[in-house]
């Protein structure tokens, strides 16, 4: 049975869901926006800074369950203006080593929670004990 967790450093979701669902093989992260992260009001409206803030928080969430962005296999990105995709991509790419990017979809979503301009959701494969890492 999956383990459903909320990140203790984030506000409790306003939607009926969890920040993370974890099973034996995968970690599923719910969509995360800068608005979901406390104290992020200063970055709202800057697609680069919103992306950086969300990706950093995703790194922390993955680390809390023994994973990293190297374990990501699927990402969905929703941005309010596809004309800003290159700016978002430039920051997003900084978080992956050796151009090893997960499969990704990017869509335009004109209205994201709280006036955010980017929302990112992610699926990562959990490491096995035989990989030399704890699961």
């Amino acid at each position: 049975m999956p383990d459903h967790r909320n990140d203790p450093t984030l506000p409790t979701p306003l939607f009926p869901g969890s920040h993370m669902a974890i099973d034996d093989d995968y970690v599923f992260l719910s969509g995360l926006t800068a608005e979901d992260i406390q104290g992020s009001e200063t970055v709202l409206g800057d697609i680069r800074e919103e992306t950086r803030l969300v990706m950093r928080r995703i790194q922390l969430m993955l680390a809390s369950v023994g994973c990293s962005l190297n374990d990501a296999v699927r990402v969905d990105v929703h941005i309010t203006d596809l004309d800003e995709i290159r700016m978002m991509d430039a920051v997003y790419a900084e978080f992956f080593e050796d151009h090893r990017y997960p499969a990704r979809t990017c869509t335009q979503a004109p209205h994201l929670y709280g006036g955010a301009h980017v929302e990112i959701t992610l699926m990562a494969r959990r490491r096995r004990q035989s990989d030399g890492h704890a699961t």
Side-chain angles (χ1 to χ4, degrees):
M1 177 181 286
D3 178 18
H4 300 91
R5 296 185 194 174
N6 286 322
D7 184 317
T9 65
L10 293 175
T12 302
L14 297 175
F15 59 91
S18 301
H19 293 133
M20 296 183 278
I22 304 153
D23 69 15
D24 291 339
D25 298 314
Y26 293 96
V27 176
F28 302 89
L29 300 185
S30 290
L32 186 64
T33 69
E35 177 62 24
D36 295 318
I37 302 168
Q38 292 175 332
S40 66
E41 301 83 20
T42 59
V43 304
L44 285 176
D46 182 332
I47 192 81
R48 290 179 188 97
E49 289 306 309
E50 285 189 38
T51 302
R52 188 168 286 112
L53 182 67
V54 169
M55 292 299 290
R56 285 180 182 150
R57 181 53 59 115
I58 286 172
Q59 281 181 311
L60 293 172
M61 292 171 76
L62 288 172
S64 77
V65 294
C67 293
S68 75
L69 283 169
N70 291 332
D71 301 308
V73 295
R74 173 98 180 126
V75 175
D76 290 309
V77 179
H78 308 283
I79 60 177
T80 56
D81 184 355
L82 279 176
D83 289 338
E84 295 186 331
I85 192 169
R86 298 292 174 236
M87 291 182 283
M88 185 279 303
D89 277 342
V91 174
Y92 173 88
E94 295 171 6
F95 287 85
F96 296 94
E97 298 174 10
D98 301 323
H99 302 286
R100 295 186 59 193
Y101 305 113
R104 189 184 93 179
T105 299
C106 185
T107 59
Q108 181 169 306
H111 302 288
L112 295 176
Y113 174 70
H117 293 84
V118 62
E119 180 174 11
I120 300 173
T121 187
L122 181 140
M123 181 174 86
R125 183 139 177 96
R126 295 191 73 205
R127 299 174 192 176
R128 298 275 183 207
Q129 290 288 356
S130 61
D131 295 341
H133 298 94
T135 57

